[in-house]
Amino acid sequence: MDRFFNKVLVRVVEGDITSIAVDAIVNAANSRLRGGGGVDGAIHRAGGSQIMEECRRYDGCPTGEAVITTAGHLPARYVIHTVGPVYRGGASKEAELLASCYQRSLALASQAGSRSVSFPCISTGVYGYPFEEACKVALQAIHAFTCDHSMPQEILLVAYGERDAGIYEALLERFEPRPSM
């Protein structure tokens, strides 16, 4: 499913984020930037040792922030590593931190000249963020970013399976941005 947020195309795709050709792939990383399981492990395995070599140049990454490295052997130019919040029930500013992950990642992609970027659903794996709630935060954050930026021109929300793609698509179809304060 496709939808424009301002002049930026937002697309839901189902598949393996490591095999999608884009300018930048966002990685749901851990704060030490040392690889891990889930999306993080898959990106490091598929991209090769170059990614880890560049990650070692950073002294970690705080929750809600992002850093950029090469993409190694991936069909992309860059990997943007962002650290999502561990979900603790929603009262510990998780939504703000998660929104920051998307906005910081998009800012880095834009600064690097990336025309296309793909995102996994950040924090929904071992960090426990409820999938539908995380999708809502992602859409709001992406919309807010596109109000002031026209790059990247295409944002892919990569769902791991049919169920997750269906949730993303339903939310995107009925998406209404929250009014800004």
Side-chain angles (χ1 to χ4, degrees):
M1 166 173 220
D2 298 353
R3 181 157 177 195
F4 280 92
F5 284 6
N6 303 301
K7 294 183 180 185
V8 177
L9 177 64
V10 178
R11 174 176 284 163
V12 174
V13 296
E14 181 184 345
D16 176 357
I17 198 167
T18 66
S19 65
I20 298 170
V22 289
D23 291 331
I25 294 174
V26 176
N27 179 21
N30 61 57
S31 62
R32 295 186 57 222
L33 301 177
R34 295 298 183 257
V39 171
D40 192 17
I43 286 172
H44 279 275
R45 282 189 301 278
S49 61
Q50 283 180 292
I51 297 172
M52 183 58 72
E53 288 171 21
E54 285 194 37
C55 281
R56 287 188 179 115
R57 294 181 188 156
Y58 293 101
D59 187 24
C61 182
T63 302
E65 296 294 326
V67 299
I68 192 167
T69 66
T70 184
H73 304 295
L74 294 167
R77 291 172 40 212
Y78 306 105
V79 174
I80 298 169
H81 309 266
T82 191
V83 181
V86 173
Y87 190 74
R88 302 187 193 290
S92 299
K93 298 189 179 193
E94 292 99 318
E96 290 174 37
L97 291 166
L98 185 56
S100 179
C101 289
Y102 285 90
Q103 292 179 340
R104 302 282 183 165
S105 296
L106 288 167
L108 283 176
S110 179
Q111 290 166 10
S114 298
R115 293 176 37 161
S116 58
V117 62
S118 62
F119 280 94
C121 197
I122 299 165
S123 282
T124 58
V126 296
Y127 285 12
Y129 213 110
F131 189 82
E132 188 168 335
E133 292 305 310
C135 292
K136 290 176 185 177
V137 171
L139 292 174
Q140 290 290 347
I142 291 167
H143 183 271
F145 186 85
T146 63
C147 287
D148 298 322
H149 302 85
S150 59
M151 287 284 281
Q153 297 171 330
E154 182 179 28
I155 298 169
L156 282 71
L157 302 171
V158 181
Y160 185 66
E162 188 177 319
R163 176 191 159 277
D164 292 351
I167 292 170
Y168 256 136
E169 288 171 351
L171 291 170
L172 187 58
E173 186 175 335
R174 64 180 192 261
F175 177 76
E176 292 295 330
R178 277 181 291 196
S180 56
M181 295 184 194

